[in-house]
């Protein structure tokens, strides 16, 4: 064995030195927070929000129903009704807060986990399940609710959002666009390119990064050694970190970023610092790579709990409200359950549909051949 | 304008101009497409006449170019994107293959993707690495894309019109070494379908099928073969996805010999697909196996070797002889 | 260890372990390959035993993974890179095609690129979009790359050993729906060449050629055909670049019928290349055109349709019948 | 024509508003400068340099010879001896300054324009010309001078450099790596990914961006709306802008960044603010897109001139020195000219060489077929 090979096996001193140098160049930055984990309303010098009791109750209701829907989907996966589910558990405030900041004419580009944002956009939750059940790759018309299809190739939707926003600006419209992505996605070249394009064209887009601190099994340290919101500055637009478990702060910060976009001041990066309380998806086993204590610590910062504490403290919600909401949750769960079970399998000829808008000779040929082939079994079967 | 003799590059320029003029949703995007008019001047003068909002110099990032073009298409625009050279399309490959090609199907037909990607391709101009490649097979294998390549100015003009009008993504491969070749364009003609092949020279003994830059070589080969008493038919395929197999089949049922010619490497190239399918369709007609003439399984060589690497007249004629000798 | 029954995934795991153990320059890189052991657990336990300097969780960026692997190879390492799923290789496509594949030629042979790219590929596991594709033709067309795919545990073990030892970049397509299939591995055997095909079942009337996940289907089809009195030979190609045409030719000269089977779309797929070349080599032997069974020219469908989309026993037998009926 | 289509033709007010908002969010940042355009030595609080007269003369000589070589190559292209040439005119200080900061065991990943760096590495200049003449794609062994081949696909070499640097760290070596790239390249996803990887692994790499203010016809505003050196910060490592026409500052700043890398402190981005005085390549026509005055203004900041002024003012160089150098330049030019003209065309069978290290059956088959085919002409010719 050569000297070199020994080096590769055991870290040498200087190698160790480099590793140790990696450590805490970072100090945890200030989060924008308007509601503490204990349910206290606090003020922030740059962001304020003034909601009516009904609006507050609305946000609470959105989060509770989203969580309920999400839990139902997880259960449906366990029952074999879905092939997979990507739970948003723990990220309700980030999604409802940002989702409720939007206007109807704004446009959203989600990842595969934005069930709460979809809810805010008015997409029927059962539509979200088609892809996870395996009956389609996207079960809604994006233009009905200005909510694009779920995108699975990490980061690619940030460029679509940027292009869409360039089009909004060209049209002279004052709507804005939101691109959702995760902490892991921040490493993809496409995301950096979307920062460049949006800055150069001053596109009205908000980059909303839900830093849930994990990309499957990898902690955020595998993606960056400084807080992600700082990434924006080097591209020439502002970045801000918000408490992603504080629905009020998420609403205020997103609203502000959207307003900037509308005013023609270009992109903003919002990093919602939150936590993925569940597994990456139902296929994942987080016990392989993270300690229970971490999740437990974050459960204390639960986004729903803290708003409930606040509502109760302020006497804005009584037992009847919570009971009613519980009933509504149950009926949402039931509706989703029934709808999924009733979801028909697609016709097998759907394989050949919508490959092209204007047709393609080979697709026509293969469709016809396949139909004849299938028919031959029917013949035989007779 | 009506009938005019134009270089192929200028025909595309005119076609883009017409499109910008008639449809306000058409945009031109790419590196250096603005003031410079592109490194081949294909977009020359367009930014001057249509402004920076319609003819857009982009950052140097191909994935970004295609990715934002997708977003613009979602917003109702019809972007015509330029990739500066064949070898630089690969940073955009992910956006093309996983997003652009699949968006229509993913949305169950709700979303249309009228995006044209223009790629000057092929060799023969004495360029450095990455500037002479023919990557069409790498796109034709992917469902959701349409792939075309004109061989002359009239096709360049009309196929571009049709590509821009198509609601599907079209990859438009421009034979860069033919950019300066002049031929007639009738801007008032009624063009045939975009994906239909054309018999450009009739013949009885053997069919040469080619597209883009190799059509000219094949026509010359047919002329040379004629001097030796061989009657060679030349089919300009024009489209690599879909491929107009019917036209090739009709020709081969007559000539019973087929040679497919392209610059791209033969291995896994479009000649393979044509050979496989035509052999299936014409099994009892073929008197020789379908032969293929194309690039070798090697990176495109440095310029001083490209004459040897590229399928030229002699290599085509050699294949014609070998086919007829069966 | 010597002879042992192992699932295919575990055989790769053992092979990686052996490589890490014997060559300190071997590195494992990819998303989630560390503590998690990869989403398919192919790298399970390796980081624990060889440390974070040898088994490296990377940022979520495929171009970065392959690009830095190239740099590590330049420094003398032998990186074995994991791409999490077939559909996520495309962000790395530029680095693979323009850099990894060409570096050896670009340097006139001075630089070697011993990089292995592992890609779990193919369908049949009920997954969502981008998790079931078979993109091998998109790599095989590119000179400078070698493309292989094992169909059983012994090949998985040994082909991985050979891929890592190769001084050329190897794309190692792992048939993910066979990961859990057990078969015997002899870790003390002397393996045959990496790029040689293997006759896995002898027959006289027709040859089925396949690789990766479809070998099993073809063996079952051969058994079913045997019950009907048809003697079908099955060739496991093992390598898609180079392709061992000699072994196919020998088989076809005997059986005079060839059907190529793969999951990837037929259009511009590896079946096309095999059909074209074998028809050229065996023109006077073939009693029927080479038939191809594979995916349609459509995006891989949602899971509930994949059984119809994937070439199964019935579609293979249908092609066998059609070929023999010529 | 619809309302929408009018909008697309004429910018509306809000569209204009967006455009106008794009403008000068930037104020020109401080450059690190040690030698003014007028040839005055000045001090900088963070960077200092103390060179012997011989070292100063050496830098001057390097720049002059590099420029002479470059001019010769341009001339050779005009004479048809080269197919193309990418001139470094104006960037001599950036390249010689950074190139002379390197140690032998450091490794360089160039673009296609780093002729001056190649010179510092000891690569024979004629070797650089093979690719531009079209006889090869890269005419030197990278490991002989630790100078990688020219890379044409913009930005891709930054990842190779990062990977190489990761390997250096693994080996426990204290060498460093430099990745060169341009202002245009800064937009490529690969460059951003190389920032992420190098930061996360704390790789000993210096990113040396020559901002020559043009990417072919596009000014830097098409790539960024803030100075490029700021990009680094958001990835967690320092960025610094240096006067790219000041060879002393380039040397000092690069040396400092290399030392950081060696000390295990990870990557640094150096933005050398310079100017491409010539065309992008010999195929380019800059009159299409930029005004002569701009170039003229930059000629006043010429990197060679300012060092000459300094040397003369300080009495460090006499007429004999400049005459000798002139003669040396001439003989370099002659040597290069002769070497290029003598450069043989490659053997045609080279097409099939080095496609694979371990061979490939198809290449063997095609090589044999091609040889037989070529031989058939020889037969005929007889
Ligand atoms: C290009 C690409 N590479 C890999 C994957 C596989 N993958 C799916 S989700 C995921 C992690 C994403 O992490 P993050 O961006 O933080 O989002 P989160 O899932 O935490 O919401 C990975 C690696 C993918 N979908 N796309
Ligand atoms: C991926 C890719 N896209 C496009 C090109 C074509 N091209 C060559 S040089 C260049 C401009 C590069 O600008 P910059 O990075 O500023 O470097 P400079 O040439 O100014 O030194 C372009 C667009 C390329 N080589 N690679
Ligand atoms: Mg995450
Ligand atoms: Mg530049």
């Amino acid at each position: 064995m050569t000297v070199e090979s020994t080096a590769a096996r055991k870290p040498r001193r200087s190698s160790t030195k480099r590793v140790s140098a990696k450590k805490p160049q970072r100090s945890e930055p200030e989060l924008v927070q308007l509601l503490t984990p204990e349910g206290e309303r606090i003020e922030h010098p740059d962001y304020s929000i003034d909601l009516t009791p009904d609006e507050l109750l609305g946000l609470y209701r959105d989060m509770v129903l989203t969580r309920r829907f999400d839990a139902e989907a997880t259960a449906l996966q366990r029952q074999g009704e879905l092939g997979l589910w990507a739970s948003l558990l723990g990220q309700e405030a980030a999604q409802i807060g940002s989702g409720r900041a939007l206007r109807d004419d704004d446009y959203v580009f989600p990842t595969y986990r934005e069930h709460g944002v979809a809810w805010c956009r008015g997409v029927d939750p059962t539509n979200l399940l088609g892809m996870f059940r395996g009956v389609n790759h996207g079960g809604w018309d994006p233009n009905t609710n200005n909510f694009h299809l779920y995108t699975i190739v990490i980061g690619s939707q940030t460029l679509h959002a940027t292009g869409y926003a360039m089009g909004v600006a060209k049209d002279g419209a004052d709507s804005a666009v939101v691109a959702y992505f995760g902490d892991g996605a921040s490493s993809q070249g496409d995301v950096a390119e979307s920062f460049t394009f949006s800055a150069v064209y001053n596109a009205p887009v908000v980059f909303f990064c839900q830093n849930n601190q994990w990309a499957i099994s990898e902690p955020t340290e595998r993606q960056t050694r400084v807080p992600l919101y700082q990434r924006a500055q080097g591209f020439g637009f502002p970045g801000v970190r918000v408490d992603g478990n504080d629905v009020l702060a998420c609403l205020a910060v997103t609203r502000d970023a959207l307003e900037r976009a509308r005013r023609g001041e270009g992109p903003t990066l919002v990093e919602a610092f939150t936590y993925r309380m569940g597994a990456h998806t139902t296929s994942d086993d987080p016990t392989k790579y993270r300690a229970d204590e971490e999740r437990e610590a974050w459960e204390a910062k639960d986004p729903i709990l803290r708003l409930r504490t606040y509502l109760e403290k302020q006497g804005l919600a009584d037992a009847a409200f919570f009971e009613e909401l519980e009933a509504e949750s149950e009926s949402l769960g039931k509706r989703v359950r029934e709808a999924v079970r009733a979801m028909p399998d697609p016709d097998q000829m759907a394989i050949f549909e919508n490959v092209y808008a204007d047709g393609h000779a080979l697709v026509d040929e293969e469709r016809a051949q396949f139909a004849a082939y299938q028919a031959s079994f029917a013949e035989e079967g007779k | 304008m009506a009938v005019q003799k134009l270089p192929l590059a200028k025909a595309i320029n005119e076609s883009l101009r017409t499109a910008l003029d008639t449809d306000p949703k058409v945009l031109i995007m790419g590196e250096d497409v603005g003031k410079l008019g592109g490194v081949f001047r294909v977009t020359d003068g367009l930014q001057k006449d249509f402004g920076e909002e319609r003819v857009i110099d982009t950052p140097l990032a191909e994935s970004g170019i295609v990715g934002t073009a997708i977003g613009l298409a979602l917003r109702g625009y019809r972007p015509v994107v330029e990739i500066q050279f064949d070898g630089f399309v690969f940073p955009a490959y992910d956006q093309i293959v996983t997003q652009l090609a699949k968006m229509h199907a993913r949305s169950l037909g709700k979303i249309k993707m009228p995006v044209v990607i223009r790629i000057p391709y092929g060799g023969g101009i004495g360029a450095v690495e990455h500037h002479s490649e023919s990557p069409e097979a790498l796109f034709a294998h992917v469902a959701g894309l349409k792939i075309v390549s004109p061989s002359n100015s009239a096709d360049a003009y009309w196929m571009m019109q049709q590509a821009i009008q198509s609601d599907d993504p079209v990859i438009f491969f421009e034979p860069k070494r033919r950019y300066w070749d002049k031929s007639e364009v009738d801007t008032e003609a009624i063009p045939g379908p975009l994906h239909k092949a054309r018999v450009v020279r009739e013949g009885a003994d053997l069919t040469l099928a080619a597209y883009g830059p190799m059509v000219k070589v094949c026509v010359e080969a047919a002329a040379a073969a004629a001097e030796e008493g061989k009657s060679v038919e030349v089919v300009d395929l024009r489209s690599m996805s879909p491929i107009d197999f019917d036209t090739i089949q009709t020709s081969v049922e007559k000539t019973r010999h087929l040679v497919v010619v392209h610059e791209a490497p033969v291995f896994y190239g479009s000649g393979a697909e044509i050979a496989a399918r035509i052999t299936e369709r014409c099994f009892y007609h073929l008197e020789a196996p379908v032969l293929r003439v194309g690039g070798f399984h090697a990176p495109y060589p440095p310029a001083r070797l490209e004459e040897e690497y590229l399928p030229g007249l002699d290599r085509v004629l050699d294949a014609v002889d070998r086919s007829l000798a069966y």
Side-chain angles (χ1 to χ4, degrees), chain A, chain B:
Chain A
M1 189 176 285
T2 65
V3 173
E4 269 197 336
S5 55
T6 324
R9 302 188 132 224
K10 294 191 209 121
R12 286 196 196 163
R13 202 163 4 194
S14 55
S15 173
T16 315
K17 182 192 72 183
R18 290 190 198 286
V19 174
S20 68
K22 256 184 247 179
K23 270 191 286 172
Q25 306 219 349
R26 63 202 274 183
S27 60
E28 282 308 321
E30 287 284 301
L31 288 169
V32 177
Q33 197 178 66
L34 298 175
L35 190 64
T36 69
E38 296 73 33
E40 300 288 344
R41 261 304 255 115
I42 55 175
E43 294 306 315
H44 189 279
D46 302 326
Y47 299 94
S48 64
I49 197 153
D50 192 14
L51 298 177
T52 65
D54 272 0
E55 285 171 329
L56 287 166
L57 294 177
L59 292 174
Y60 184 78
R61 177 176 169 272
D62 289 337
M63 292 199 288
V64 166
L65 293 179
T66 298
R67 181 172 290 185
R68 183 63 181 81
F69 161 70
D70 186 77
E72 191 63 44
T74 300
L76 285 165
Q77 194 280 335
R78 297 229 173 86
Q79 294 155 28
E81 295 291 340
L82 302 180
L84 184 81
W85 182 245
S87 165
L88 66 18
L89 190 66
Q91 300 177 218
E92 294 85 356
Q95 297 197 13
I96 299 301
S98 60
R100 284 299 175 206
L102 293 161
R103 277 190 344 210
D104 279 355
D105 62 331
D106 295 334
Y107 212 101
V108 169
F109 288 82
T111 72
Y112 40 80
R113 206 189 286 285
E114 268 66 75
H115 322 311
V117 185
W119 171 265
C120 296
R121 299 309 283 168
V123 177
D124 185 330
T126 58
N127 281 350
L128 303 177
L129 300 177
M131 158 182 150
F132 293 97
R133 187 173 167 87
V135 302
N136 59 44
H137 294 314
W140 60 93
D141 183 341
N143 289 324
T144 306
N145 305 89
N146 283 0
F147 185 76
H148 190 65
L149 298 176
Y150 278 179
T151 297
I152 294 179
V153 177
I154 299 289
S156 55
Q157 75 283 358
T158 58
L159 281 168
H160 310 159
T162 300
Y164 194 97
M166 287 162 61
V168 167
K170 264 182 218 308
D171 293 344
D174 77 340
S175 0
V177 179
V178 183
Y180 286 87
F181 64 103
D183 45 303
S186 69
S187 296
Q188 282 286 3
D190 272 8
V191 174
E193 294 189 11
S194 73
F195 287 7
T196 285
F197 276 69
S198 62
V200 162
Y201 298 116
N202 204 42
V205 57
V206 176
F207 295 104
F208 195 92
C209 175
Q210 285 169 83
N211 179 354
N212 64 10
Q213 303 187 58
W214 291 93
I216 309 187
S217 73
E218 300 192 10
T220 314
E221 292 81 54
R222 283 290 91 179
Q223 318 292 342
T224 181
R225 62 185 198 185
V226 289
L228 282 171
Y229 76 94
Q230 296 179 5
R231 183 71 49 89
Q233 214 180 321
F235 290 86
F237 57 92
V240 52
R241 183 181 267 197
V242 59
D243 182 341
N245 287 13
D246 171 353
V247 69
L248 302 185
C250 287
L251 177 58
V253 166
T254 310
R255 206 175 252 176
D256 184 74
L258 289 166
E259 282 311 317
R260 274 194 84 241
R262 290 187 217 296
R263 283 196 309 268
E265 292 168 23
T268 306
L269 169 62
V270 177
E271 180 193 6
F273 195 71
T274 178
Y275 191 74
R276 195 194 79 204
M277 302 226 281
H280 170 70
T281 65
T282 48
S283 296
D284 180 40
D285 174 11
T287 63
K288 295 272 291 182
Y289 54 82
R290 73 181 188 189
D292 276 353
E293 300 84 64
E294 189 184 283
R295 203 200 57 245
E296 282 156 20
W298 274 90
E299 276 168 6
K301 306 188 201 169
D302 188 292
I304 297 187
L305 200 66
R306 76 169 80 171
L307 184 56
R308 181 176 180 132
T309 311
Y310 176 70
L311 293 175
E312 286 177 336
K313 276 197 208 156
Q314 299 290 314
L316 294 171
D318 56 12
F321 169 79
F322 293 113
E323 272 160 36
E324 227 168 88
L325 186 52
E326 181 56 32
E328 195 180 355
S329 293
E330 274 316 300
S331 80
L332 172 65
K334 185 154 172 285
R335 177 165 79 78
V336 166
R337 202 157 53 237
E338 285 170 2
V340 166
R341 292 194 174 133
M343 215 178 259
D345 277 358
D347 184 274
Q348 59 188 21
M349 297 313 286
I351 291 172
F352 304 96
E353 298 315 311
N354 302 311
V355 184
Y356 294 90
D358 297 343
H360 188 284
L362 178 63
V363 176
D364 295 342
E365 190 180 322
E366 290 186 341
R367 185 196 291 109
Q369 281 168 354
F370 186 72
Y373 167 76
Q374 292 291 3
S376 73
F377 289 98
E379 294 289 301
E380 277 176 32
K382 263 175 203 159
Chain B
M1 191 168 78
V3 186
Q4 222 181 318
K5 254 198 146 176
L6 292 178
L8 195 148
K10 180 70 181 158
I12 298 173
N13 178 278
E14 287 296 340
S15 192
L16 296 175
R17 177 176 291 279
T18 305
L20 284 163
D21 224 14
T22 44
D23 185 348
K25 290 299 183 187
V26 170
L27 304 174
I28 310 286
M29 303 170 63
E31 297 156 10
D32 307 294
V33 298
K35 272 194 190 159
L36 182 62
V39 293
F40 290 107
R41 307 295 184 270
V42 173
T43 57
D44 198 30
L46 299 178
Q47 190 181 67
K48 189 165 152 283
D49 294 343
F50 295 93
E52 290 191 24
E53 289 285 318
R54 305 278 313 276
V55 180
I56 306 165
D57 271 333
T58 63
L60 206 176
E62 288 76 9
S63 188
I65 296 171
V66 174
T68 56
I70 291 170
L72 283 157
L74 290 169
R75 180 73 190 179
Y77 286 88
R78 304 183 86 84
V80 181
V81 155
E82 174 174 305
I83 298 292
Q84 201 161 75
F85 281 92
D86 34 68
F88 308 137
V89 67
F90 301 114
Y93 197 72
D94 176 56
Q95 284 286 348
I96 295 172
V97 166
T98 73
Q99 304 302 314
L100 183 64
K102 290 184 161 66
M103 203 71 92
H104 186 65
R106 184 180 297 150
S107 71
L108 299 172
K110 305 288 195 314
I111 292 174
K112 298 201 166 73
M113 277 288 125
V115 175
V116 177
I117 301 182
R118 297 181 37 239
I119 309 182
Y121 83 123
I125 64 159
V128 295
E129 203 187 352
H130 310 290
H131 291 71
S132 306
E133 298 168 9
S134 299
E136 62 273 15
L138 302 174
F139 296 92
H141 186 49
V142 178
L145 304 174
K146 290 177 171 174
I147 319 294
V148 301
S149 181
S151 68
N152 59 67
S153 301
D155 273 358
Y157 181 89
W158 281 112
M159 288 168 72
M160 181 59 79
Q161 287 293 303
Q162 295 169 316
I164 295 173
Q165 281 153 23
S166 169
D167 278 336
D168 290 310
V170 177
I171 311 214
F172 199 93
F173 281 102
E174 303 177 359
K176 68 169 88 84
R177 64 165 147 152
R178 305 290 176 226
Y179 268 151
W180 304 275
D181 288 6
K182 281 190 179 184
S183 59
E184 262 182 17
V185 181
D186 179 353
T187 56
E188 279 153 22
I190 292 162
L194 177 57
H195 300 289
K196 193 147 173 46
R198 183 192 299 121
V199 176
V200 290
R201 180 187 169 113
E202 304 223 0
D205 300 336
L206 181 143
T207 303
L208 282 174
Y211 50 85
M214 295 311 297
V215 172
K216 188 177 174 195
V217 174
C218 287
V219 169
E220 286 167 6
E227 286 177 21
E228 298 175 11
K230 295 161 198 158
S231 169
V232 171
E233 178 147 312
V234 180
V235 178
D236 180 353
L237 295 175
R238 301 171 78 250
S239 174
M240 285 82 76
S241 177
I243 295 174
D244 177 5
F245 292 111
D246 291 346
T247 297
I248 313 174
Q249 180 176 355
T250 304
S251 177
V252 170
E253 284 177 359
K254 177 174 69 175
T255 64
R256 294 168 179 263
H257 296 84
L258 174 62
V259 175
V260 187
V261 184
H262 51 63
E263 287 190 20
V266 162
F267 194 54
Y268 284 80
S270 48
E273 180 58 38
I274 294 167
R277 209 164 293 250
I278 291 299
T279 305
E280 206 178 324
R281 287 193 182 200
C282 307
F283 188 65
Y284 293 118
H285 287 92
L286 281 168
E287 289 176 8
V290 178
L291 297 186
R292 297 177 285 165
V293 182
F296 302 111
H297 189 65
Y300 195 91
R304 302 250 169 170
L305 290 176
E306 71 179 340
E307 217 174 295
E308 281 75 29
Y309 179 89
L310 285 170
L313 198 61
D314 285 333
R315 277 176 61 206
V316 174
L317 288 171
D318 174 66
V320 168
D321 289 348
R322 282 188 288 123
S323 176
L324 291 175
Y326 260 82

